[in-house]
Amino acid sequence: MKPVVVMTQTSKIQSDLVTIIHKPFIDIKPLEFDSRLLKDNYDWLIFSSKNAVKFFLPYMHVVNFKKIAVVGEKTAQYCCALKIPVDLIPQDYSQEGLINQFQKYNQRILIPSSKQARPLLRDTLARNNNVVKIDLYEPVPHYKHIDEVKSLIFNNKIDALTFSSSSSVRYYFNEDPIPKFDYYFAIGKQTANTLHSYNQPAIVANKQTLESLIDKVVESRD
């Protein structure tokens, strides 16, 4: 019998290896920002998520930039589907990978992203570049889905719960009750570290993709 896996991100990924229940833990709230920032010229436009591309798309035609870099395989695929040319993708699809490959200095960089995005990318690149960050949107908890998943766990209806972001972990564990469960899976080390901060076990995907996350669930059961 295939394991039942809850996927808590918005992507509707499917797999023949497991039975997937889609329960996004995060809703997205668009934010207003200073549109004057779009009038400057930028060397790089960096997207760190699919949502960043989605919410910035209406402004793409009014901002002047030379090249685009993205973090995340799904972000790159989304740009490809929209015929947005991408000049730089880190091999491991992580912020750290992009920083390591981004050997540019004195560049003007625009990063439209979540208000709660990890500051690592912005802060590190800002050491040698002029970086402007736009808070496009912010995540808010999807409490209905969180309660439904906790009920499934209490009733022993699922075999694995996956997390693709630290925000989804915090939303889940910050609200009681917290069911006893040992099969939490994280898409990357940062998300796993957030799980550990709640004294919870975390099995980490070999690669920061949803496919790799599913593979890790199957592998752990074998």
Side-chain angles (χ1 to χ4, degrees):
M1 186 174 180
K2 293 190 293 186
V4 178
V5 180
V6 172
M7 305 295 284
T8 60
Q9 78 298 321
T10 55
S11 175
K12 292 287 188 179
I13 186 172
Q14 300 296 332
S15 173
D16 294 330
L17 302 175
V18 299
T19 298
I20 295 177
I21 298 175
H22 290 282
K23 293 290 181 182
F25 282 1
I26 299 175
D27 273 341
I28 302 299
K29 175 185 176 183
L31 298 175
E32 294 183 357
F33 64 90
D34 187 353
S35 60
R36 291 175 295 181
L37 296 173
L38 302 176
K39 297 180 180 180
D40 291 334
N41 296 317
Y42 297 96
D43 297 295
W44 286 89
L45 177 60
I46 298 180
F47 293 118
S48 58
S49 71
K50 181 178 174 180
N51 277 326
V53 179
K54 176 182 176 181
F55 283 95
F56 195 71
L57 192 60
Y59 308 102
M60 289 282 289
H61 69 287
V62 298
V63 63
N64 293 316
F65 61 90
K66 296 178 181 177
K67 295 182 178 181
I68 295 178
V70 303
V71 176
E73 184 177 32
K74 293 299 181 182
T75 311
Q77 291 175 353
Y78 190 57
C79 285
C80 180
L82 294 173
K83 294 183 169 50
I84 297 174
V86 176
D87 301 281
L88 178 60
I89 307 170
Q91 293 180 350
D92 65 354
Y93 300 108
S94 70
Q95 289 193 19
E96 290 83 355
L98 180 59
I99 290 168
N100 291 335
Q101 291 181 239
F102 199 88
Q103 302 299 323
K104 306 288 183 182
Y105 302 98
N106 299 318
Q107 303 279 294
R108 188 159 177 80
I109 301 169
L110 179 63
I111 306 178
S113 64
S114 165
K115 184 178 181 179
Q116 296 183 21
R118 292 173 61 200
L120 176 69
L121 185 64
R122 177 197 61 198
D123 293 351
T124 304
L125 293 180
R127 295 171 187 169
N128 299 300
N129 302 276
N130 186 343
V131 177
V132 174
K133 181 180 182 294
I134 291 177
D135 293 333
L136 274 182
Y137 62 92
E138 65 177 345
V140 294
H142 198 311
Y143 288 119
K144 182 175 183 291
H145 284 175
I146 293 172
D147 290 342
E148 288 172 350
V149 170
K150 288 180 178 179
S151 178
L152 289 172
I153 292 176
F154 277 124
N155 289 285
N156 299 311
K157 298 293 187 182
I158 68 171
D159 300 296
L161 175 55
T162 69
F163 291 99
S164 298
S165 71
S166 291
S167 294
S168 59
V169 174
R170 288 190 290 267
Y171 294 156
Y172 179 85
F173 286 100
N174 284 347
E175 295 291 327
D176 290 329
I178 308 297
K180 173 63 178 174
F181 195 64
D182 295 324
Y183 303 102
Y184 296 119
F185 292 79
I187 199 168
K189 292 181 180 179
Q190 182 68 28
T191 305
N193 288 339
T194 306
L195 277 163
H196 292 153
S197 72
Y198 289 94
N199 298 314
Q200 300 295 329
I203 302 172
V204 186
N206 295 331
K207 190 178 178 182
Q208 293 196 61
T209 66
L210 297 179
E211 290 81 4
S212 181
L213 197 56
I214 292 172
D215 288 342
K216 182 58 73 170
V217 172
V218 176
E219 175 188 317
S220 69
R221 291 176 64 82
D222 292 339

